[in-house]
Amino acid sequence: MIETAIVVVIAGYVIGSISFARVLAWLFLRDQPLQGTSLSVGGEEGFTSSNVSATTLRMVAPKLGPWAAILDIAKAAIPVLVLRLVFPEEPYAVLWASAVTVGHIFPVFHKFKGGRGTSVILGSVLVLDPLAFPVTLVIGYVIGLYIFKDVLLAHHAGWIVLLPFWFAATGQWDLVAYGLIANVARWSVSGPELKEWWAFRKAGVLQTEAFHDEIEKTHIGAIHGWLRKRGWIHYPYMDAA
């Protein structure tokens, strides 16, 4: 068992270290290497990050970004599913999920600078506990949008932060460990973005019409835009309109 667990962890980390965003960029955008991710705030450069992910590729090549996300989801979901089916009584599926997430965020092939793990966490969770994703997603968006009035908080933090709590509530303690590992890995490399987010939030920028118009052009603000158009979420600037 120990030998198999070691093989699973090493293999999961190595596979996780394959950055499909970089692979697709190399194949189709050789003259435009991916350097990082940036997000405009009110028409000006706002959030910047050195991470390279499907979101990064989507901003450069909208048609390629979803394929990177699908491949990242698959490198987690398919092995986790196989391990769950072949070894239902062993923790190998959870070990793979943990290792592939760490590998994706700290890829050995790219100087330990990867994505933030959203796709691989999603792929793992959809197999380990399919109900966890829709439940935590809805709760995360309700808290993020209706309590904190913050689309970035709802999208980037909500469901992932809530995962350990959901797993604990359902008595899945091995998955609690996975949820904690995923969160620690994800947020340990998000310091600069969190500082920028906090500064913009304190300045009130994240609740302005200009920012909402900008963020809703991306997948990050898709749900927010759908709710805002129907008047199901309200901000003071909407009264003037």
Side-chain angles (χ1 to χ4, degrees):
M1 176 180 174
I2 294 178
E3 293 82 359
T4 304
I6 292 173
V7 170
V8 168
V9 169
I10 293 175
Y13 175 75
V14 172
I15 296 300
S17 294
I18 299 174
S19 172
F20 285 110
R22 289 183 170 99
V23 170
L24 292 177
W26 181 80
L27 289 172
F28 299 102
L29 306 171
R30 296 200 180 193
D31 60 339
Q32 195 171 0
L34 300 181
Q35 301 296 335
T37 305
S38 63
L39 177 66
S40 296
V41 176
E44 299 180 0
E45 184 177 89
F47 296 95
T48 57
S49 172
S50 61
N51 76 296
V52 174
S53 63
T55 299
T56 311
L57 182 60
R58 187 178 185 277
M59 290 181 173
V60 177
K63 293 183 179 180
L64 290 178
W67 286 106
I70 290 170
L71 291 169
D72 285 336
I73 291 171
K75 73 183 181 185
I78 294 175
V80 168
L81 177 60
V82 171
L83 290 169
R84 261 288 170 91
L85 293 175
V86 177
F87 304 102
E89 303 300 324
E90 302 293 344
Y92 301 144
V94 178
L95 290 176
W96 182 282
S98 301
V100 79
T101 300
V102 173
H104 182 85
I105 296 173
F106 302 102
V108 66
F109 304 129
H110 305 289
K111 300 180 180 180
F112 305 104
K113 292 183 178 181
R116 291 298 179 261
T118 302
S119 295
V120 289
I121 295 172
L122 174 60
S124 299
V125 169
L126 287 176
V127 176
L128 294 172
D129 183 352
L131 189 59
F133 174 65
V135 170
T136 55
L137 181 72
V138 171
I139 296 174
Y141 263 90
V142 169
I143 293 173
L145 295 183
Y146 292 98
I147 296 178
F148 291 98
K149 299 282 189 176
D150 191 324
V151 60
L152 292 178
L153 184 68
H155 179 82
H156 287 294
W159 70 275
I160 292 177
V161 170
L162 291 173
L163 284 176
F165 298 96
W166 168 260
F167 295 143
T170 54
Q172 301 177 90
W173 299 106
D174 55 343
L175 297 188
V176 170
Y178 166 66
L180 292 174
I181 290 170
N183 272 282
V184 169
R186 177 183 177 88
W187 301 114
S188 67
V189 294
S190 300
E193 296 99 298
L194 290 173
K195 288 180 180 179
E196 290 180 329
W197 166 78
W198 183 245
F200 283 124
R201 180 170 174 80
K202 286 204 316 183
V205 174
L206 303 186
Q207 295 185 15
T208 62
E209 185 175 13
F211 174 69
H212 290 156
D213 288 342
E214 197 72 35
I215 196 69
E216 287 169 6
K217 296 175 184 176
T218 73
H219 70 286
I220 296 171
I223 293 177
H224 183 275
W226 189 85
L227 294 170
R228 189 167 68 124
K229 287 179 181 177
R230 287 159 178 77
W232 293 353
I233 186 168
H234 185 270
Y235 297 94
Y237 68 75
M238 296 171 71
D239 294 331

